[in-house]
Amino acid sequence: MKLLAEMLWSSSGIGYELLRNVSLVRMEHTTGTVVPILVMALPPTIAPQWLETRITSKYGGR
């Protein structure tokens, strides 16, 4: 939750750029800001899910 707050109410950085571009309705810049956020957010989200699936399939979900 703190990360979201820092992203939305910051005065610099990716969150600031995202909100500025959304408020100015600059879709090409907004998309260009969302892509790096996705690139940074997906690996830490996908890795634990992959690891859980691998462990569960190996040990049978005990």
Side-chain angles (χ1 to χ4, degrees):
M1 191 66 162
K2 183 177 187 239
L3 178 65
L4 181 63
E6 287 179 9
M7 188 173 132
L8 293 177
W9 288 282
S10 64
S11 59
S12 64
I14 291 178
Y16 174 77
E17 281 296 315
L18 179 63
L19 287 180
R20 195 179 98 202
N21 290 328
V22 167
S23 67
L24 295 174
V25 192
R26 298 188 330 194
M27 289 310 296
E28 65 280 354
H29 294 281
T30 302
T31 304
T33 306
V34 169
V35 170
I37 292 172
L38 285 174
V39 168
M40 290 185 288
L42 282 177
T45 303
I46 293 173
Q49 292 173 347
W50 173 80
L51 186 61
E52 179 184 10
T53 302
R54 188 167 165 121
I55 291 171
T56 303
S57 66
K58 184 173 182 176
Y59 295 107
R62 295 181 202 165

